[in-house]
Amino acid sequence: MAWHRWAATALGLAAVVAAQALWPEPPVPEQLAFQSISVDRYLRQLRRQAIQFVEDRPKQGFQFVEQHRNGAFEIHCRGVPVLWLERRSHHVLMQASLDAKQRAPAVLEFQATLQWQLEPLGYLEQVLMGVPEPVLMDRMLLMLAGGVPDGARCG
């Protein structure tokens, strides 16, 4: 029985070492949460900019999708969500999909434009508010899954 535990531990350590070899730099914590803003500013300014982003790219496969909870909205690339914003009671949550760089690079530039307009919460504040963050396992699975097919890309 002790042999099985030792083998499982060795296998786990080998997986960690292999992951570090494939991904030598630890990921920088992604800025996901921002200070809360007024509903009016959120709906008028950020939503309008997202709609304009999609309308400026009519043949690139982007769609604006409005959710009916907390004024949330998403930008999709050929039906797959690549950027979403949600106004919560104490913060604005903004996330890009893990594969946005390959699937829809233009959306990352747009995300940076939106982030520039908002006041970010510190990493510790995000953790204390329970803001979800992609875990290393999610990032590793994305790497192992390979690239995004050409027909699934926008832009």
Side-chain angles (χ1 to χ4, degrees):
M1 188 62 125
W3 173 252
H4 294 292
R5 286 187 199 154
W6 185 85
T9 301
L11 185 59
L13 289 173
V16 169
V17 169
Q20 289 177 344
L22 291 173
W23 196 347
E25 295 181 29
V28 176
E30 186 177 354
Q31 194 65 51
L32 303 172
F34 301 85
Q35 295 290 333
S36 188
I37 58 176
S38 72
V39 174
D40 186 49
R41 180 174 170 221
Y42 176 83
L43 292 176
R44 266 191 314 142
Q45 186 175 341
L46 300 180
R47 184 177 172 278
R48 180 175 40 96
Q49 288 176 344
I51 291 170
Q52 189 65 48
F53 171 83
V54 170
E55 288 176 351
D56 287 348
R57 294 158 181 80
K59 296 181 182 184
Q60 293 183 10
F62 289 106
Q63 301 98 23
F64 177 84
V65 178
E66 192 150 14
Q67 304 294 327
H68 295 289
R69 66 180 192 290
N70 300 329
F73 60 85
E74 300 174 348
I75 294 178
H76 288 200
C77 168
R78 306 205 187 284
V80 177
V82 289
L83 180 70
W84 48 97
L85 275 87
E86 181 180 337
R87 187 180 181 279
R88 296 192 174 173
S89 58
H90 299 293
H91 63 278
V92 173
L93 182 66
M94 179 180 353
Q95 285 185 280
S97 65
L98 290 175
D99 66 350
K101 185 175 183 178
Q102 294 85 19
R103 186 176 296 276
V107 87
L108 294 180
E109 293 173 22
F110 177 63
Q111 179 188 21
T113 300
L114 294 178
Q115 286 178 344
W116 180 77
Q117 300 171 59
L118 301 170
E119 185 178 334
L121 293 178
Y123 181 72
L124 183 58
E125 290 174 294
Q126 289 186 149
V127 171
L128 293 175
M129 288 184 154
V131 174
E133 181 180 350
V135 295
L136 179 61
M137 182 62 77
D138 295 333
R139 294 180 191 268
M140 284 182 55
L141 290 174
L142 179 66
M143 283 179 21
L144 295 173
V148 176
D150 287 338
R153 296 180 187 182
C154 292

